Amino acid sequence: MSTTAPSATTPPSTRLNRDSRIVALIVASAFFMNMLDGAIITTSLPQMAASFGVVPLEMSVGVTIYMLTVAAFVPLAGWLADRFGARNIFMLAILVFTLASLACGLAQELWQFVVARAVQGLGGALMTPVGRMVVLRNAQKSELLHATALISWPALFAPVIGPMLGGFITTYASWQWNFYINIPIGLVGLYLTARYIPKQGDESPRRLDLIGFVLSAGGLMCLLYGMESFAYSHGSPAISAALVAGGLLLGIFAVRHLHRAPVPLLDLRAFKVRTFSLCTLWAGSYFRTAINATPFLLPLFYQIGFGLNALQAGLYVLAYFAGNLGMKTVTTPTLKRYGFRTVLAINGVLAGLSIAACAFFTPQTSQVLMLVVLFIAGLTRSMQFTALNTLAFADIHASQRSSASTLSSMLQQVSMVLGVAVAALLLALSQHLHGNPSLQLADFRIAFIAFGALAFVSSLMFLTLPEDAGTEVSGHQPARDGAAASQRT
């Protein structure tokens, strides 16, 4: 399906056509399975540890090995999709993830579970960038906003409902069912992919840039594991810092190689596209870091700062989820009415203010007021994610899609881990400065204000965009164009 822009006389489509909608929904469902799995597992670690006969701390290797496998193979996703076809690799990713989920549930010993999680990470590494690629290749530019909105909802909902769903399943069934639920979803996804997603005929048999793969994969693995180990206190801070430094150094070497290689693994020219660079590398990464810290901070904030149990804290987080859901119906018309630049700037500022407002919550604060603030935070989070993910690919040429999708997935993975790592660092520093033996309410206030400020400042960076940025996608008509049209009439 062509991705060329509509003509000047043809208004952008207000809806996805049937085929594009089906493709986007299939990909979104696979994304949801992938992201929900990662959000669920953390609630089951104590029960899994008892089942395997180990202490709960040892179960962290199941989370770590998944993350490292994803980091290792994400850079390879674009090349595989170009070499063997995006639909084929997407189906392979679903199949690998589904079979590995079955193996996770059947594991009798920790080492078996770790191996299964590593294989599951391979499927997850390919699923997100290749799935986005499938959507980009099957949607016209005028349909991109609607398609992106559909595939954005898993990232909004899964981290919020995952822990509660995982706790429910573990309590009333068993931890194995947290993995078994992926099997019917995966099988249905395989059938629907084969049935409705067409093959793309633009596979390219370019050779694999092995040096680029080793450098980028090694850099990501060291960087993400270093940040993750620091956030969750795995190992000494010195080792974590060394891993982060080593990851950054390998990343520098990777960038230099990718710029010089005749056929690089990743085409970094996508960063020369202003909208992609701003939404993915600069302001977008800063904003995602702030937003990704919030689901980590909120449950701890209510349990440690307010003394609530996990269920009571989860009920407050549900307001955040409800806001994510409530914004979906108005995202598209809002972007069409005001355009990407205005929405990203104003909505981002509101998101930053809503995060900072959490710093002023106390046990005496009205429950209604807290729920309203969290609901607004969810609304703005949903709007910003959809706008960022759409505008990032609005000006990407067809030849750059595979690399751009892979680069986007890599940077989003970094911002997810970075948000938690920086949040943990801020809490630890605040606790040390206050001289308290444990975390207090004041420590969370500093973190919320810092991340609110980061979201606020990063949103103002979108004011550097031209007023007509992404108009072919949003359908927004800048005021000057409307005035000119009136004069011509």
Side-chain angles (χ1 to χ4, degrees), residues 94-305:
I94 296 176
L95 178 62
V96 169
F97 192 91
T98 304
L99 293 177
S101 297
L102 175 62
C104 285
L106 295 175
Q108 300 297 312
E109 298 182 26
L110 179 58
W111 71 266
Q112 295 173 347
F113 177 73
V114 170
V115 172
R117 282 287 286 173
V119 177
Q120 198 181 34
L122 170 61
L126 301 180
M127 194 180 298
T128 301
V130 178
R132 185 184 292 112
M133 217 177 299
V134 168
V135 172
L136 291 174
R137 291 177 177 178
N138 282 276
Q140 297 182 20
K141 181 171 279 193
S142 59
E143 300 171 329
L144 189 58
L145 174 58
H146 305 269
T148 303
L150 285 177
I151 64 173
S152 294
W153 65 263
L156 298 170
F157 300 156
V160 180
I161 68 172
M164 295 185 65
L165 180 60
F168 178 85
I169 292 174
T170 303
T171 301
Y172 294 102
S174 68
W175 66 263
Q176 287 89 347
W177 282 99
N178 287 326
F179 297 98
Y180 291 156
I181 61 174
N182 292 333
I183 298 171
I185 299 175
L187 293 176
V188 172
L190 282 172
Y191 167 76
L192 293 176
T193 300
R195 173 70 176 82
Y196 290 105
I197 296 182
K199 292 182 178 180
Q200 284 86 30
D202 54 354
E203 294 86 353
S204 172
R206 59 191 175 102
R207 66 179 179 84
L208 175 63
D209 175 16
L210 187 59
I211 296 177
F213 170 63
V214 171
L215 288 174
S216 57
L220 270 178
M221 290 175 68
C222 290
L223 181 64
L224 293 181
Y225 183 59
M227 292 190 297
E228 194 267 352
S229 63
F230 176 82
Y232 292 103
S233 301
H234 301 159
S236 70
I239 294 177
S240 299
L243 285 169
V244 171
L248 292 173
L249 184 61
L250 286 173
I252 293 172
F253 288 139
V255 170
R256 291 184 58 173
H257 169 79
L258 294 173
H259 274 302
R260 298 174 178 178
V263 186
L265 178 70
L266 298 169
D267 185 359
L268 299 184
R269 289 177 299 174
F271 287 128
K272 294 182 179 180
V273 179
R274 186 177 182 185
T275 48
F276 180 80
S277 178
L278 190 62
C279 293
T280 304
L281 183 60
W282 303 117
S285 285
Y286 304 149
F287 186 89
R288 288 187 178 95
T289 297
I291 290 297
N292 285 320
T294 311
F296 170 78
L297 288 171
L298 283 174
L300 293 176
F301 176 64
Y302 279 109
Q303 292 180 65
I304 296 175

Side-chain angles (χ1 to χ4, degrees), residues 39 75 131 204 270 284 293 355 393 403-404:
S204 172
I355 294 173
F393 294 93
S403 288

Side-chain angles (χ1 to χ4, degrees), residues 368-400:
V368 174
L369 177 60
M370 287 191 289
L371 291 173
V372 169
V373 171
L374 291 174
F375 183 77
I376 293 173
L379 289 175
T380 53
R381 177 178 185 258
S382 176
M383 173 71 79
Q384 200 79 351
F385 269 20
T386 298
L388 283 173
N389 292 336
T390 305
L391 183 59
F393 294 93
D395 301 319
I396 291 294
H397 189 269
S399 62
Q400 298 174 318

Side-chain angles (χ1 to χ4, degrees), residues 7 18 41 58 118 127 145 159 236 261 298 315 349 425 441 486:
S7 66
R18 178 179 176 274
I41 187 176
E58 291 184 62
M127 194 180 298
L145 174 58
S236 70
L298 283 174
L315 293 177
V349 165
L425 174 62
L441 195 61
S486 299

